[in-house]
Amino acid sequence: QHLHRLEEALKRDHRKLATELDLLSFPSELGGGLAVWHPKGAIVRKLMEDYSRQRHEQGGYEFVFTPHLANGKLFETSGHLQWYADGMYPPMEMDNGTYYMKPMNCPMHCLIYKSRQRSYRELPLRLFELGNVYRYERAGTLHGLLRIRGFTQDDSHIYCTEEQLADEIASLLDFVLSVLRAFGFDEFTFNLSTKNPDKYVGDDAIWDHATEALREALDRHGLEYAVKEGDAAFYGPKIDIDVQDAIGRSWQLSTIQADFQLPERFDLEYVGSDNERHRPIMLHRALLGSIERFMGVLIEHYAGNFPTWLAPLQVRVLPVATAHEEYAEAVRSRLADAGVRVDMIGATDALGKRIRSSKMEKIPYILVVGDDDVAAGTVGVN
C-alpha cells in the first residue's frame, strides 16, 4: 500500500501536471516561490474564488480589500515584527517611514474594525478578503504551490462577544465542512490546540472560556478530535481541520483560531447593552488556507481530472469528418450559449488522434458527431 501510494504521488505531482495541463508555471526570472497562472489555470482559480465569494456572501460576511504593504508601525502594533520578523520580507525605506510587504491580513482588518465606534448590535462582525500576502520561506523549503512565497488567503476575521463565541465557532465548523465537501473532500481529521503554559498572552479565564467554546463546537457536531496540549499560538487556542485526499494523504487546510492578543494590542472595543465599553474576541478563519496551496492539493487529489464544474474546458466537440463540422459547430454554439466552457476541433487530424489528445488534456466530456448524429440531432459521448 505504501509503495502504491508513492507511485500514485509521483503521477499526481501537481508541478508536473500543472505543466502538462498548461495551468501555471514558476519562471526562474520571477524568483523562487512565485507562480504565474496561465489562462486555463486562471479559469480554475476564478471558479474557486467565485464560489468562495458566493458562499461568504450567503454566510453573512462583508467584503473588504486592503493594500499589499504597510508602514512598519502597523506590524509593531500587531506584534508581527516581534514574533514573526523572520517570516517577513525585508523592509523598504521610504521618505515617510519603513514599509513591509504584509505577511497577514489581520492587522488591516483590525484597522477597519477600529475605524469607528462599534455597538454590540453590530456583532458578530464578519470581514472577508481574498488577500494577497508575502512570506519569506527558506529556499530549501519551497515546493511548488504547496510552499510558496506570494499567495492569496481566503481570509476571514470575526469579531464577537464572549457570549456569542460558542455559537459562532459551531456555525464556522458547519460552514468550513460544507465548502470543503463541495470541492470533493469528505474525510476530515480535527485537532484542538490548547494553551502553552510558558508562552501565552491574555487572561487565564478567557483562555479557558475560548478553549471550552472550541471543544463544545466539536462535541456539538459529534466530531472526534485529538487534543494537542500546549500547541496553541501565543494569542489563543485553535481548531485545525485536515482533509484526506484520494490516495489517503492528509493535508492541513482550514483553521479556526481564537485571538485575545490583537483586540488588546489595537485597543478594539464595542459598546455593550449596559452602555459600557467591552473588548471583542477575534476569530481568525482561513478556509481553503491559500488559493495556491488549495489548487496544488486539488490537482493531486483529482490527478488533474477536475470535476466538471471546475474543469477549464468542460466539453470538446469532435466531428468525425469535414462533412460533420457544420453540425459540430452548431452543437458547440448551443452549449456555449448555455454557459458551458466548450470548443470544437475540426477534422484536420484522424478522429482517434483527436480523441487521445482530448483525453490527455483531461476534458470531462468529449462529444463525437457523425452521420447518424447529424440526421437525429444527437451526440455520441466518449
Side-chain angles (χ1 to χ4, degrees):
Q1 189 177 18
H2 175 67
L3 292 173
H4 172 70
R5 187 181 290 184
L6 289 177
E7 186 183 334
E8 277 294 314
L10 279 175
K11 285 187 208 167
R12 293 165 181 266
D13 189 316
H14 73 280
R15 297 165 298 179
K16 170 173 153 286
L17 288 170
T19 301
E20 290 174 2
L21 299 174
D22 194 22
L23 300 173
L24 51 91
S25 59
F26 296 86
S28 59
E29 295 90 339
L30 272 184
L34 300 168
V36 289
W37 294 66
H38 301 189
K40 287 182 180 178
I43 289 171
V44 182
R45 178 177 180 137
K46 180 180 182 299
L47 292 163
M48 288 163 57
E49 291 184 352
D50 286 350
Y51 180 73
S52 179
R53 287 189 184 96
Q54 173 200 332
R55 291 298 306 272
H56 280 87
E57 196 165 3
Q58 292 168 347
Y61 289 76
E62 299 182 61
F63 293 13
V64 297
F65 297 92
T66 60
H68 292 230
L69 75 169
N71 193 294
K73 290 176 182 174
L74 177 69
F75 300 119
E76 286 175 10
T77 302
S78 69
H80 283 98
L81 283 177
Q82 178 186 354
W83 298 96
Y84 199 75
D86 288 348
M88 295 171 66
Y89 268 88
M92 294 172 276
E93 297 299 331
M94 310 289 280
D95 51 5
N96 61 342
T98 304
Y99 285 75
Y100 290 86
M101 303 297 286
K102 66 174 176 179
M104 314 274 188
N105 300 301
C106 35
M108 296 181 182
H109 290 190
C110 287
L111 295 181
I112 292 170
Y113 180 97
K114 198 177 178 180
S115 62
R116 62 177 174 80
Q117 183 172 284
R118 302 286 177 177
S119 161
Y120 72 97
R121 294 187 181 90
E122 296 177 72
L123 304 183
L125 176 66
R126 306 182 185 103
L127 302 181
F128 170 70
E129 178 178 15
L130 283 165
N132 296 89
V133 296
Y134 304 88
R135 299 180 187 173
Y136 178 67
E137 302 284 359
R138 304 288 174 196
T141 66
L142 298 174
H143 183 79
L145 292 172
L146 303 179
R147 196 70 178 250
I148 196 167
R149 287 173 171 167
F151 53 93
T152 306
Q153 290 184 307
D154 62 328
D155 216 359
S156 292
H157 294 97
I158 298 155
Y159 302 87
C160 64
T161 68
E162 274 194 60
E163 296 73 32
Q164 293 167 335
L165 188 60
D167 285 342
E168 198 60 27
I169 294 166
S171 166
L172 266 179
L173 270 176
D174 279 332
F175 186 75
V176 167
L177 296 181
S178 168
V179 172
L180 290 175
R181 287 186 177 116
F183 283 97
F185 297 106
D186 54 13
E187 291 190 49
F188 307 100
T189 305
F190 302 88
N191 294 299
L192 172 63
S193 296
T194 62
K195 178 177 68 181
N196 180 336
D198 301 319
K199 188 180 177 184
Y200 74 98
V201 296
D203 180 76
D204 284 337
I206 297 178
W207 267 88
D208 292 344
H209 178 68
T211 305
E212 193 51 43
L214 292 169
R215 195 188 303 273
E216 182 188 321
L218 289 163
D219 291 338
R220 194 187 298 184
H221 284 72
L223 300 170
E224 290 185 18
Y225 57 93
V227 177
K228 292 188 173 179
E229 299 287 355
D231 202 44
F234 65 92
Y235 50 81
K238 64 175 178 171
I239 295 171
D240 287 324
I241 302 169
D242 298 358
V243 302
Q244 198 170 88
D245 71 8
I247 61 171
R249 295 173 301 181
S250 190
W251 302 90
Q252 201 274 303
L253 291 181
S254 308
T255 299
I256 300 170
Q257 171 92 54
D259 185 354
F260 327 115
Q261 166 86 342
L262 286 186
E264 190 73 37
R265 281 180 167 266
F266 281 92
D267 194 25
L268 303 184
E269 295 179 331
Y270 66 91
V271 177
S273 56
D274 57 2
N275 221 29
E276 296 293 326
R277 295 184 179 277
H278 302 273
R279 190 82 72 208
I281 291 177
M282 183 177 177
L283 290 169
H284 301 249
R285 195 242 56 210
L287 199 163
L288 305 181
S290 80
I291 298 297
E292 287 77 3
R293 187 166 183 274
F294 193 74
M295 176 71 159
V297 173
L298 272 186
I299 292 171
E300 300 208 2
H301 177 57
Y302 287 114
N305 294 293
F306 290 110
T308 306
W309 75 279
L310 275 176
L313 186 66
Q314 296 170 307
V315 180
R316 173 164 288 164
V317 186
L318 299 177
V320 173
T322 308
H324 312 118
E325 286 183 359
E326 184 178 346
Y327 176 69
E329 174 54 30
V331 171
R332 187 211 64 78
S333 178
R334 184 173 168 188
L335 286 167
D337 288 347
V340 176
R341 296 183 294 282
V342 57
D343 70 2
M344 189 277 281
I345 302 294
T348 50
D349 286 315
L351 179 61
K353 182 178 179 182
R354 285 178 287 143
I355 289 174
R356 281 193 302 276
S357 172
S358 301
K359 288 186 174 181
M360 291 291 287
E361 291 181 49
K362 302 183 185 289
I363 300 166
Y365 288 93
I366 301 163
L367 307 184
V368 178
V369 296
D371 289 337
D372 292 346
D373 300 297
V374 173
T378 58
V379 296
V381 181
N382 188 296

